[in-house]
Every structure is written in C-alpha cells, then in structure tokens.
Amino acid sequence: MKPRVLIVEDEPGIADTLQYALRTDGFEPAWAATGEEALSQFKVQPPALVILDVGLPDTSGFEVFKRLREVADVPVVFLTARSDEIDRVVGLELGADDYVAKPFSPRELVARVRSILRRSAKAAAAPAAPALPLVVDDGKRQIRFYGKPLELSRYEFGLLQTLASRPGHVFSRDTLLARVWGDDTESLDRTVDAHVKTLRAKMKTVAPTLEPIRTHRGSGYALAEDLPPALPV
C-alpha cells in the first residue's frame, strides 16, 4: 500500500509539482488548498505524513498543525515562503519533523519525506521500554512508585535511594547508617528499622499487596528486584 501524503498548499502550481514528484516516487498524494479542507480530509482518511504551508488563505499553518496533532500524532513538514528565522523556530518548537523554505527542490523534499517516514516506522517497530516501578529523580529529590510521588523525609529518601541503586543487593544496617545518616553518631540500628517501617507503610498505600523492601535477617535490607512493571489488579 502506498503511503498517503497530504499536501496543504494554496498555490496550485506548487501543489501540482509536489503531487507529481510524490506520485513518481511511489507515494499517494492528496491535496487541500485551505486549512479547513485539510482538517476535513485528515479526519476522513488520516495520511502517513502532511506537507503543510505556513501561509494559508483561511488560517495559519501553525494553527492547522495544532488541530491536526489533536487528532493524531502524524509527521509534519512545514513549507514557507518567508525567510524569517522565527517561522522556522516556531514550527520546530511546535514539534514539526522538518521545515523547508520556498523555493525548494521537489526531489529533495520527497527525499526528506521518505527519510521521516522511515524513522517513524523504526520508532513504531521498536519495542517499548519496560516500565519502571520505582523511579528516582535525584535532582528533584523525588521518588515515584508506580507513577505516584512518595512523600518522604530526608532520611527516607536517602534510604530508598540507596536501596534502589542496586535492587536485590542486601545492604547491612551499618552500610545504610553510613550512607544515609553519615556522621550522625547518635543514629542506631533501630533508626534504620524505624525508617524502613515508615517507608513500607508509605509504599503500601500505593501497592498494598507488594513487599518492595525485603528483610534479610541478620544481614540487612534489599529492594525487591522482581517487582512487576505494573500494579497487580
């Protein structure tokens, strides 16, 4: 099946040239002369890619882009007759895949279209990264457990951060005291136990059936390395 490319361009000469170049290179081109027409066509038959002119007679190409992306995350290449760099910056910041200024080479534009579609196909075929049940953001000093931020004290954060650095590894109480409490010589083994207890309680509010922190009697504590990627139903 030929990839369908929607050309949104109010100049018939440019639209005809693009349709010919795309058709001869194995694509199925479609043309809309206005933003509203483009949106109507898009909803009826979403294309594989959109070539979108910034200066349309009825609305801005940027506005059309936003409305298209509300329907589907389709690749978009902007066209413009303007030389002002601000258009290029705005287009790319909105999330366009490429930007071509007029006059342009139809052959080069078609090559860009093919390249973008090839990248999109690879991205779609790539396996999704496994979900992480525990995510530590050191910069924000925040830890999310199954997507929910945990309200942690300074020591609770340090304790869970340490355990999460090596899931499955058993950290002794002395090691945890040294890493989390440092030179606080008044801290004792039972301090670690107390903070592990409060951590477990807070994590239980998110995942009541799981035991994310395991006790290894006589050795210390470890973060479970077999936590499911999603909360059990």
Side-chain angles (χ1 to χ4, degrees), residues 67-89:
R67 292 175 64 184
L68 289 176
R69 282 291 173 88
E70 290 174 359
V71 180
D73 188 18
V74 63
V76 174
V77 178
F78 273 120
L79 292 180
T80 183
R82 307 173 191 175
S83 58
D84 192 346
E85 187 180 6
I86 190 65
D87 278 350
R88 179 175 182 275
V89 172

Side-chain angles (χ1 to χ4, degrees), residues 1-6 28 30 38-50 71 74:
M1 185 176 177
K2 296 180 180 179
R4 188 169 185 267
V5 176
L6 177 60
E28 179 190 340
L39 291 165
S40 298
Q41 287 198 38
F42 191 92
K43 291 175 182 177
V44 172
Q45 188 177 1
L49 182 141
V50 178
V71 180
V74 63

